[in-house]
Coordinates of all heavy atoms in Angstrom, one line a residue:
R1 N -17.2 -2.0 -13.6 CA -16.4 -3.3 -13.3 C -15.3 -3.0 -12.3 O -14.6 -2.0 -12.5 CB -15.9 -3.8 -14.6 CG -16.9 -4.3 -15.6 CD -16.3 -4.9 -16.8 NE -14.8 -5.0 -16.8 CZ -14.1 -5.1 -17.9 NH1 -14.6 -5.1 -19.0 NH2 -12.8 -5.2 -17.8
K2 N -15.2 -3.9 -11.4 CA -14.2 -3.7 -10.4 C -12.7 -3.8 -10.9 O -11.9 -3.0 -10.5 CB -14.3 -4.8 -9.3 CG -13.4 -4.6 -8.1 CD -13.7 -5.7 -7.1 CE -12.7 -5.6 -6.0 NZ -12.9 -4.6 -5.0
D3 N -12.5 -4.5 -12.0 CA -11.1 -4.7 -12.5 C -10.6 -3.4 -13.2 O -9.5 -3.4 -13.6 CB -11.0 -5.9 -13.4 CG -11.9 -5.8 -14.6 OD1 -12.9 -5.1 -14.5 OD2 -11.7 -6.6 -15.5
R4 N -11.4 -2.4 -13.4 CA -10.9 -1.2 -14.1 C -10.3 -0.2 -13.2 O -9.8 0.8 -13.6 CB -12.1 -0.6 -14.9 CG -13.1 0.1 -14.1 CD -14.1 0.8 -15.0 NE -14.4 2.1 -14.4 CZ -15.4 2.8 -14.7 NH1 -16.3 2.4 -15.6 NH2 -15.7 4.0 -14.1
Y5 N -10.3 -0.5 -11.9 CA -9.7 0.3 -10.9 C -8.4 -0.2 -10.4 O -8.1 -1.4 -10.4 CB -10.6 0.5 -9.6 CG -11.8 1.3 -9.9 CD1 -13.0 0.7 -10.3 CD2 -11.8 2.6 -9.8 CE1 -14.1 1.4 -10.6 CE2 -12.9 3.4 -10.1 CZ -14.1 2.8 -10.5 OH -15.2 3.5 -10.8
R6 N -7.5 0.7 -10.1 CA -6.2 0.4 -9.6 C -6.0 1.1 -8.3 O -6.3 2.3 -8.1 CB -5.1 0.8 -10.6 CG -3.7 0.3 -10.2 CD -2.8 0.6 -11.4 NE -2.6 2.0 -11.7 CZ -1.8 2.8 -11.0 NH1 -1.1 2.4 -10.0 NH2 -1.8 4.1 -11.3
S7 N -5.6 0.4 -7.2 CA -5.4 1.0 -5.9 C -4.1 1.6 -5.7 O -3.1 1.1 -6.2 CB -5.6 -0.1 -4.8 OG -6.9 -0.5 -4.8
I8 N -4.0 2.7 -5.0 CA -2.8 3.4 -4.6 C -2.8 3.4 -3.1 O -3.8 3.9 -2.5 CB -2.7 4.8 -5.2 CG1 -2.8 4.8 -6.7 CG2 -1.4 5.5 -4.7 CD1 -2.9 6.2 -7.2
A9 N -1.8 2.9 -2.5 CA -1.7 2.9 -1.0 C -0.4 3.6 -0.6 O 0.7 3.2 -1.1 CB -1.8 1.5 -0.4
V10 N -0.4 4.6 0.2 CA 0.8 5.3 0.6 C 0.8 5.2 2.1 O -0.2 5.5 2.8 CB 0.8 6.7 0.2 CG1 2.0 7.5 0.7 CG2 0.8 6.8 -1.4
H11 N 1.9 4.8 2.7 CA 2.1 4.7 4.1 C 2.7 6.0 4.7 O 3.6 6.5 4.1 CB 2.9 3.5 4.5 CG 2.3 2.2 4.1 ND1 1.4 1.6 4.9 CD2 2.5 1.4 3.0 CE1 1.0 0.5 4.3 NE2 1.6 0.4 3.2
S12 N 2.2 6.4 5.8 CA 2.8 7.6 6.5 C 3.0 7.3 7.9 O 2.3 6.5 8.5 CB 1.9 8.8 6.3 OG 0.7 8.6 6.9
S13 N 4.0 7.9 8.5 CA 4.2 7.6 10.0 C 4.0 8.9 10.7 O 4.3 10.0 10.2 CB 5.6 7.0 10.2 OG 6.6 7.9 9.8
G14 N 3.6 8.8 12.0 CA 3.4 9.9 12.8 C 2.9 9.5 14.1 O 2.6 8.3 14.3
G15 N 2.7 10.4 15.1 CA 2.2 10.0 16.4 C 0.7 10.2 16.4 O 0.1 10.5 15.4
G16 N 0.1 9.9 17.6 CA -1.3 10.1 17.7 C -2.1 8.8 18.0 O -1.5 7.9 18.4
N17 N -3.4 8.9 17.7 CA -4.2 7.7 17.9 C -3.7 6.5 17.0 O -3.2 6.7 16.0 CB -5.6 8.0 17.6 CG -6.2 9.0 18.6 OD1 -5.8 9.1 19.7 ND2 -7.2 9.7 18.1
G18 N -3.8 5.3 17.6 CA -3.4 4.2 16.8 C -1.9 3.9 16.9 O -1.4 3.1 16.1
S19 N -1.2 4.6 17.8 CA 0.2 4.4 17.9 C 0.5 2.9 18.3 O -0.2 2.3 19.1 CB 0.8 5.3 19.0 OG 0.7 6.7 18.6
T20 N 1.7 2.5 17.8 CA 2.1 1.2 18.3 C 3.2 1.4 19.3 O 3.5 2.5 19.7 CB 2.8 0.4 17.0 OG1 3.8 1.3 16.5 CG2 1.7 0.2 16.0
G21 N 3.8 0.3 19.8 CA 4.7 0.4 21.0 C 5.7 1.5 21.0 O 5.9 2.2 22.0
G22 N 6.3 1.9 19.8 CA 7.4 2.9 19.8 C 6.8 4.3 19.6 O 7.6 5.2 19.5
G23 N 5.5 4.5 19.6 CA 5.0 5.8 19.4 C 4.8 6.2 18.0 O 4.4 7.3 17.7
N24 N 5.2 5.4 17.0 CA 5.0 5.7 15.6 C 3.8 5.0 15.1 O 3.5 3.9 15.4 CB 6.2 5.2 14.8 CG 7.4 6.0 15.0 OD1 7.4 7.2 15.3 ND2 8.6 5.4 14.9
R25 N 3.0 5.8 14.3 CA 1.8 5.2 13.7 C 2.0 5.0 12.2 O 2.6 5.9 11.5 CB 0.7 6.3 13.9 CG -0.7 5.8 13.5 CD -1.7 6.8 13.7 NE -1.6 7.8 12.7 CZ -2.4 8.8 12.6 NH1 -3.3 9.1 13.5 NH2 -2.3 9.7 11.7
I26 N 1.6 3.9 11.7 CA 1.7 3.5 10.3 C 0.3 3.4 9.8 O -0.4 2.4 10.2 CB 2.5 2.3 10.1 CG1 3.9 2.3 10.7 CG2 2.6 2.0 8.6 CD1 4.8 3.4 10.1
D27 N -0.1 4.3 9.0 CA -1.5 4.2 8.4 C -1.4 4.2 6.9 O -0.6 5.0 6.3 CB -2.3 5.4 8.8 CG -2.7 5.4 10.3 OD1 -2.8 4.3 10.8 OD2 -2.8 6.5 10.8
A28 N -2.1 3.4 6.2 CA -2.2 3.5 4.8 C -3.3 4.3 4.3 O -4.5 4.1 4.7 CB -2.3 2.0 4.2
A29 N -3.0 5.3 3.5 CA -4.1 6.1 2.8 C -4.3 5.4 1.5 O -3.4 5.2 0.7 CB -3.6 7.5 2.7
R30 N -5.6 5.1 1.2 CA -5.9 4.3 0.0 C -6.8 5.0 -0.9 O -7.9 5.5 -0.5 CB -6.4 2.9 0.4 CG -6.6 2.0 -0.7 CD -6.8 0.6 -0.2 NE -7.5 -0.1 -1.3 CZ -8.7 -0.7 -1.2 NH1 -9.3 -0.6 -0.1 NH2 -9.2 -1.3 -2.3
T31 N -6.5 5.0 -2.2 CA -7.3 5.6 -3.2 C -7.4 4.6 -4.4 O -6.4 4.1 -4.8 CB -6.7 6.9 -3.7 OG1 -6.5 7.8 -2.7 CG2 -7.6 7.6 -4.8
E32 N -8.6 4.4 -5.0 CA -8.7 3.6 -6.2 C -8.9 4.6 -7.3 O -9.6 5.6 -7.3 CB -9.9 2.7 -6.1 CG -9.7 1.5 -5.2 CD -10.9 0.6 -5.3 OE1 -11.9 0.8 -4.6 OE2 -10.8 -0.4 -6.1
V33 N -8.2 4.3 -8.4 CA -8.2 5.2 -9.6 C -8.7 4.4 -10.8 O -8.2 3.3 -11.1 CB -6.8 5.8 -9.9 CG1 -6.8 6.7 -11.1 CG2 -6.2 6.5 -8.7
G34 N -9.7 5.0 -11.5 CA -10.2 4.3 -12.7 C -10.1 5.4 -13.9 O -10.6 6.5 -13.7
A35 N -9.6 5.0 -15.0 CA -9.6 5.9 -16.2 C -11.0 6.0 -16.8 O -11.6 4.9 -17.0 CB -8.6 5.4 -17.2
V36 N -11.4 7.2 -17.1 CA -12.7 7.4 -17.7 C -12.5 7.8 -19.1 O -13.2 7.4 -20.0 CB -13.5 8.4 -16.9 CG1 -14.8 8.8 -17.6 CG2 -13.8 7.9 -15.5
G37 N -11.6 8.7 -19.4 CA -11.4 9.2 -20.7 C -10.2 10.1 -20.8 O -9.4 10.3 -19.8
C38 N -10.0 10.7 -22.0 CA -8.8 11.6 -22.2 C -9.4 12.9 -22.9 O -10.4 12.8 -23.6 CB -7.8 11.0 -23.2 SG -7.0 9.6 -22.5
L39 N -8.7 14.0 -22.6 CA -9.1 15.3 -23.2 C -7.8 15.8 -23.8 O -6.7 15.7 -23.3 CB -9.6 16.2 -22.1 CG -10.7 15.7 -21.2 CD1 -10.9 16.7 -20.0 CD2 -12.0 15.7 -22.1
L40 N -8.0 16.6 -24.9 CA -6.9 17.2 -25.6 C -7.1 18.7 -25.3 O -8.1 19.3 -25.8 CB -6.9 16.9 -27.1 CG -5.7 17.4 -27.9 CD1 -4.4 16.8 -27.4 CD2 -5.9 17.1 -29.3
C41 N -6.1 19.4 -24.6 CA -6.3 20.8 -24.3 C -5.8 21.6 -25.5 O -5.2 21.1 -26.4 CB -5.5 21.2 -23.0 SG -3.8 21.2 -23.1
G42 N -6.0 22.9 -25.4 CA -5.7 23.8 -26.5 C -4.2 23.8 -27.0 O -3.9 24.0 -28.1
E43 N -3.3 23.5 -26.1 CA -1.9 23.5 -26.4 C -1.4 22.1 -26.9 O -0.2 21.9 -27.1 CB -1.0 23.9 -25.2 CG -1.2 25.3 -24.8 CD -2.5 25.6 -24.0 OE1 -3.0 24.7 -23.3 OE2 -3.0 26.7 -24.1
G44 N -2.3 21.2 -27.1 CA -2.0 19.9 -27.6 C -1.6 18.9 -26.5 O -1.2 17.8 -26.8
E45 N -1.7 19.3 -25.3 CA -1.3 18.4 -24.2 C -2.5 17.4 -23.9 O -3.7 17.9 -23.9 CB -1.0 19.2 -22.9 CG -0.4 18.3 -21.8 CD 0.1 19.1 -20.6 OE1 -0.1 20.3 -20.6 OE2 0.6 18.5 -19.7
L46 N -2.2 16.2 -23.7 CA -3.2 15.2 -23.4 C -3.5 15.1 -21.9 O -2.6 15.0 -21.1 CB -2.8 13.8 -23.9 CG -3.8 12.7 -23.9 CD1 -5.0 13.0 -24.8 CD2 -3.2 11.4 -24.4
L47 N -4.7 15.2 -21.5 CA -5.1 15.2 -20.1 C -6.0 13.9 -19.8 O -6.8 13.6 -20.7 CB -5.9 16.4 -19.7 CG -5.2 17.8 -19.9 CD1 -6.1 18.9 -19.6 CD2 -3.9 17.9 -19.1
S48 N -5.9 13.3 -18.7 CA -6.7 12.2 -18.3 C -7.9 12.6 -17.5 O -7.7 13.4 -16.6 CB -5.9 11.1 -17.6 OG -4.8 10.6 -18.4
L49 N -9.0 12.0 -17.7 CA -10.2 12.2 -16.9 C -10.3 10.9 -16.1 O -10.3 9.8 -16.7 CB -11.4 12.4 -17.8 CG -12.7 12.6 -17.0 CD1 -12.6 13.9 -16.2 CD2 -13.8 12.8 -18.1
A50 N -10.3 11.0 -14.8 CA -10.3 9.8 -13.9 C -11.4 9.8 -12.9 O -11.9 10.9 -12.5 CB -8.9 9.7 -13.2
E51 N -11.9 8.6 -12.5 CA -12.8 8.5 -11.4 C -12.1 7.9 -10.2 O -11.3 7.0 -10.3 CB -13.9 7.5 -11.9 CG -14.9 7.2 -10.8 CD -16.0 6.3 -11.3 OE1 -16.1 6.0 -12.5 OE2 -16.7 5.7 -10.4
L52 N -12.2 8.6 -9.1 CA -11.5 8.2 -7.9 C -12.4 7.8 -6.8 O -13.5 8.3 -6.7 CB -10.7 9.4 -7.4 CG -9.8 10.1 -8.4 CD1 -9.2 11.4 -7.8 CD2 -8.6 9.1 -8.7
R53 N -12.0 6.8 -6.1 CA -12.7 6.3 -4.9 C -11.8 6.3 -3.7 O -10.8 5.7 -3.7 CB -13.2 4.8 -5.1 CG -14.3 4.7 -6.1 CD -14.7 3.3 -6.2 NE -15.7 3.1 -7.3 CZ -16.1 2.0 -7.7 NH1 -15.7 0.8 -7.2 NH2 -17.0 1.9 -8.7
L54 N -12.2 7.2 -2.7 CA -11.3 7.3 -1.5 C -11.8 6.3 -0.5 O -13.0 6.2 -0.2 CB -11.5 8.7 -1.0 CG -11.0 9.9 -1.9 CD1 -11.3 11.2 -1.3 CD2 -9.6 9.7 -2.3
H55 N -10.8 5.6 0.1 CA -11.1 4.7 1.2 C -10.7 5.2 2.5 O -11.0 4.6 3.5 CB -10.5 3.3 0.9 CG -11.0 2.6 -0.3 ND1 -12.2 1.8 -0.2 CD2 -10.7 2.7 -1.6 CE1 -12.5 1.4 -1.4 NE2 -11.6 1.9 -2.3
T56 N -9.9 6.3 2.5 CA -9.5 7.0 3.7 C -9.7 8.5 3.4 O -9.9 8.9 2.2 CB -8.0 6.7 4.0 OG1 -7.2 6.9 2.9 CG2 -7.9 5.2 4.4
G57 N -9.6 9.3 4.4 CA -9.7 10.7 4.2 C -8.5 11.5 4.8 O -8.6 12.1 5.8
R58 N -7.4 11.5 4.1 CA -6.2 12.2 4.5 C -6.1 13.6 3.8 O -6.6 13.7 2.6 CB -5.0 11.4 4.2 CG -4.9 10.0 4.8 CD -4.8 10.1 6.3 NE -4.4 8.7 6.8 CZ -5.3 7.8 7.1 NH1 -6.6 8.0 6.9 NH2 -5.0 6.7 7.6
M59 N -5.5 14.5 4.5 CA -5.4 15.8 3.8 C -4.5 15.7 2.6 O -3.4 15.0 2.7 CB -4.7 16.8 4.8 CG -4.6 18.2 4.3 SD -3.9 19.4 5.4 CE -5.1 19.5 6.7
H60 N -4.9 16.3 1.5 CA -4.1 16.3 0.2 C -4.0 14.9 -0.4 O -3.1 14.7 -1.2 CB -2.7 16.9 0.4 CG -2.7 18.3 0.9 ND1 -3.2 19.4 0.2 CD2 -2.3 18.8 2.1 CE1 -3.1 20.5 1.0 NE2 -2.6 20.1 2.1
Q61 N -4.8 14.0 0.1 CA -4.7 12.6 -0.4 C -4.8 12.4 -1.9 O -3.9 11.8 -2.5 CB -5.8 11.7 0.2 CG -5.8 10.3 -0.2 CD -6.8 9.4 0.6 OE1 -7.2 9.7 1.7 NE2 -7.3 8.4 -0.1
I62 N -5.7 13.0 -2.5 CA -5.9 12.9 -4.0 C -4.7 13.5 -4.7 O -4.1 12.9 -5.6 CB -7.2 13.6 -4.5 CG1 -8.4 12.8 -4.0 CG2 -7.2 13.6 -6.0 CD1 -9.7 13.5 -4.2
R63 N -4.3 14.7 -4.2 CA -3.1 15.4 -4.8 C -1.9 14.6 -4.7 O -1.1 14.4 -5.6 CB -3.0 16.8 -4.1 CG -4.1 17.7 -4.3 CD -4.0 18.9 -3.3 NE -3.0 19.8 -3.8 CZ -2.6 20.8 -3.1 NH1 -3.1 21.0 -1.9 NH2 -1.7 21.7 -3.6
A64 N -1.6 14.1 -3.5 CA -0.4 13.3 -3.2 C -0.3 12.0 -4.0 O 0.7 11.6 -4.6 CB -0.2 13.1 -1.7
H65 N -1.4 11.3 -4.0 CA -1.5 10.0 -4.6 C -1.3 10.1 -6.1 O -0.5 9.4 -6.7 CB -2.8 9.2 -4.3 CG -2.8 8.6 -3.0 ND1 -3.8 7.9 -2.5 CD2 -1.9 8.6 -2.0 CE1 -3.6 7.5 -1.3 NE2 -2.4 7.9 -0.9
L66 N -2.0 11.0 -6.8 CA -1.9 11.1 -8.2 C -0.5 11.6 -8.6 O 0.1 11.2 -9.6 CB -3.0 12.0 -8.8 CG -4.4 11.5 -8.7 CD1 -5.4 12.4 -9.2 CD2 -4.5 10.1 -9.5
S67 N 0.0 12.6 -7.8 CA 1.4 13.1 -8.1 C 2.4 12.0 -8.0 O 3.4 11.8 -8.8 CB 1.7 14.2 -7.2 OG 3.0 14.7 -7.4
S68 N 2.3 11.1 -6.9 CA 3.3 10.0 -6.7 C 3.2 9.0 -7.9 O 4.2 8.3 -8.1 CB 3.0 9.3 -5.4 OG 1.9 8.5 -5.4
E69 N 2.1 8.9 -8.6 CA 2.0 8.0 -9.7 C 2.4 8.7 -11.0 O 2.3 8.1 -12.1 CB 0.6 7.5 -9.8 CG 0.1 6.6 -8.7 CD 0.9 5.3 -8.7 OE1 0.9 4.6 -9.7 OE2 1.5 5.0 -7.7
G70 N 2.8 9.9 -11.0 CA 3.3 10.6 -12.2 C 2.1 11.3 -12.9 O 2.3 11.7 -14.1
H71 N 1.0 11.5 -12.3 CA -0.2 12.1 -12.9 C -0.8 13.2 -12.0 O -1.8 13.1 -11.4 CB -1.3 11.1 -13.2 CG -0.8 10.0 -14.1 ND1 -0.5 10.2 -15.4 CD2 -0.5 8.7 -13.8 CE1 -0.1 9.0 -15.9 NE2 0.0 8.1 -14.9
P72 N 0.0 14.3 -11.8 CA -0.5 15.4 -10.9 C -1.7 16.1 -11.5 O -2.0 16.0 -12.7 CB 0.7 16.4 -10.8 CG 1.4 16.2 -12.1 CD 1.2 14.7 -12.5
L73 N -2.5 16.7 -10.6 CA -3.7 17.5 -11.0 C -3.3 18.7 -11.8 O -2.3 19.3 -11.5 CB -4.5 17.9 -9.8 CG -5.0 16.8 -8.9 CD1 -5.7 17.4 -7.6 CD2 -6.1 16.0 -9.6
V74 N -4.1 19.0 -12.8 CA -3.9 20.2 -13.6 C -3.9 21.5 -12.7 O -4.7 21.5 -11.8 CB -4.9 20.3 -14.7 CG1 -4.8 21.6 -15.5 CG2 -4.8 19.2 -15.7
S75 N -3.0 22.4 -12.9 CA -3.0 23.7 -12.2 C -2.7 23.5 -10.7 O -3.2 24.2 -9.9 CB -4.2 24.5 -12.4 OG -4.4 24.8 -13.7
D76 N -1.9 22.5 -10.3 CA -1.5 22.2 -8.9 C 0.0 22.2 -8.8 O 0.6 21.1 -8.7 CB -2.1 20.9 -8.5 CG -1.9 20.7 -7.0 OD1 -1.4 21.6 -6.3 OD2 -2.3 19.6 -6.5
P77 N 0.6 23.4 -8.9 CA 2.1 23.4 -8.9 C 2.8 22.8 -7.7 O 3.9 22.3 -7.7 CB 2.4 24.9 -9.1 CG 1.2 25.6 -8.7 CD 0.1 24.7 -8.9
R78 N 2.1 22.9 -6.5 CA 2.7 22.3 -5.3 C 3.0 20.8 -5.4 O 3.9 20.3 -4.9 CB 1.7 22.6 -4.1 CG 2.3 22.1 -2.8 CD 1.4 22.4 -1.7 NE 1.9 21.9 -0.4 CZ 1.3 22.0 0.7 NH1 0.2 22.7 0.8 NH2 1.8 21.5 1.8
Y79 N 2.2 20.1 -6.2 CA 2.3 18.7 -6.4 C 2.7 18.3 -7.8 O 2.6 17.2 -8.3 CB 1.1 17.9 -6.0 CG 0.9 17.8 -4.5 CD1 0.3 18.8 -3.8 CD2 1.3 16.7 -3.8 CE1 0.2 18.8 -2.4 CE2 1.2 16.6 -2.4 CZ 0.6 17.6 -1.7 OH 0.5 17.5 -0.4
G80 N 3.3 19.3 -8.6 CA 3.9 19.0 -9.9 C 3.0 19.2 -11.1 O 3.4 19.0 -12.2
G81 N 1.8 19.8 -10.9 CA 0.8 20.0 -12.0 C 1.2 21.3 -12.7 O 1.6 22.3 -12.1
K82 N 1.0 21.2 -14.0 CA 1.2 22.4 -14.9 C -0.1 23.1 -15.2 O -1.1 22.4 -15.2 CB 1.9 22.1 -16.2 CG 3.3 21.5 -16.0 CD 4.0 21.3 -17.3 CE 3.6 19.9 -17.8 NZ 4.2 19.5 -19.0
T83 N -0.1 24.4 -15.5 CA -1.2 25.1 -15.9 C -1.3 25.0 -17.4 O -0.4 25.5 -18.1 CB -1.2 26.6 -15.5 OG1 -1.1 26.6 -14.0 CG2 -2.5 27.3 -15.9
P84 N -2.4 24.5 -18.0 CA -2.4 24.4 -19.5 C -2.6 25.7 -20.1 O -3.1 26.6 -19.6 CB -3.6 23.5 -19.7 CG -4.4 23.4 -18.5 CD -3.5 23.9 -17.4

């Protein structure tokens, strides 16, 4: 069902193709997130299992989007994830 997904859009600026008059580019990186289930790890921490749909292909997009929403990837300390 379409309504079980939530979109995350993050805007970034930079130069390059698609530049507007001032030389700054504004592109939205878009990811849809749907909850699939939950897992309980050995230390009692609750982990979410999610289904993701990428609408753009930016470097570190999944890592950055999930971290910005307060749900970093497990074992990804660069973006705030802890190792269980």
Side-chain angles (χ1 to χ4, degrees):
R1 290 181 9 199
K2 186 176 174 78
D3 60 339
R4 73 177 219 197
Y5 288 92
R6 190 168 61 82
S7 290
I8 301 171
V10 176
H11 296 277
S12 61
S13 61
N17 294 335
S19 291
T20 58
N24 288 330
R25 186 178 78 181
I26 305 295
D27 291 329
R30 189 166 155 241
T31 303
E32 284 185 277
V33 181
V36 174
C38 294
L39 305 169
L40 187 61
C41 74
E43 292 78 29
E45 188 173 4
L46 190 62
L47 305 174
S48 297
L49 182 61
E51 180 178 344
L52 305 172
R53 292 183 183 171
L54 300 176
H55 293 274
T56 54
R58 304 288 193 275
M59 185 179 292
H60 304 291
Q61 179 175 331
I62 294 170
R63 298 167 75 189
H65 282 182
L66 291 178
S67 180
S68 74
E69 292 293 307
H71 302 287
L73 297 174
V74 173
S75 298
D76 187 6
R78 181 174 178 184
Y79 283 84
K82 296 185 271 181
T83 303

